Amino acid sequence: MPSTMQMVTFAAWRDDALLSYRLADRRYVTLAELVVRLGSYGLGLTWKARMFDEQPRPAFARMMEASAGAGIPTLELLAMDAPYMQAVDSEVEGYMGNELVLILREFDSSSWDVRTADAWVLSEIQRSYPDTRPMTPDEWDSTN
């Protein structure tokens, strides 16, 4: 990946806004949510899934198998259980043609890490998840 890549991280579990009639709900940011937040940028990507666990959940194992080789288009990725999938200790790489342009990595069911050189992607992540903070290369390497 080019040296201009930047890395950020944010909490995977979110407290939804308090409503006057109920307490806040906790929800998990899914892979599908992240991909959808990329809008038209994400639609042009092809994806490859990897998991660091030797025993991936069946849905993620199917995603890894389908994305092996040339990868899978965004809409196919979203159709593969992604809206419900908690992708513990995994990463999904986004390619524009043959160039790796984005990595979405879920770490230990507690955070999402994003690596890209695209300023718009970084600003969209920061806008959507205000607790986003920069990561150092050492932090990125230690969660891999």
Side-chain angles (χ1 to χ4, degrees):
M1 293 183 93
S3 62
T4 58
M5 290 289 179
Q6 295 181 46
M7 298 145 292
V8 296
T9 188
F10 63 91
W13 286 95
R14 318 301 297 174
D15 290 322
D16 283 347
L18 288 173
L19 300 175
S20 60
Y21 58 89
R22 66 178 185 156
L23 297 174
D25 290 327
R26 299 225 358 116
R27 69 177 180 82
Y28 175 76
V29 175
T30 63
L31 173 61
E33 179 179 331
L34 286 177
V35 171
V36 167
R37 291 217 184 266
L38 298 175
S40 61
Y41 177 90
L43 279 176
L45 300 180
T46 302
W47 301 91
K48 295 182 182 182
R50 295 186 329 140
M51 179 163 269
F52 308 114
D53 186 351
E54 292 180 18
Q55 297 294 322
R57 293 184 176 156
F60 202 87
R62 284 191 300 276
M63 186 179 290
M64 287 190 316
E65 184 178 329
S67 70
I72 56 176
T74 299
L75 294 178
E76 188 175 331
L77 174 85
L78 291 173
M80 297 187 75
D81 292 333
Y84 311 103
M85 187 182 307
Q86 187 172 346
V88 178
D89 294 336
S90 64
E91 72 181 27
V92 182
E93 299 174 335
Y95 290 83
M96 194 168 290
N98 291 326
E99 182 183 356
L100 177 60
V101 295
L102 176 67
I103 297 175
L104 304 174
R105 181 170 62 193
E106 197 280 345
F107 178 69
D108 193 32
S109 188
S110 61
S111 67
W112 278 100
D113 304 335
V114 179
R115 185 174 184 167
T116 186
D118 190 284
W120 181 86
V121 170
L122 291 168
S123 68
E124 182 61 17
I125 294 297
Q126 291 167 334
R127 185 190 67 75
S128 301
Y129 308 104
D131 63 318
T132 299
R133 68 167 183 79
M135 294 180 78
T136 66
D138 288 341
E139 285 178 297
W140 180 271
D141 292 342
S142 71
T143 60
N144 191 4

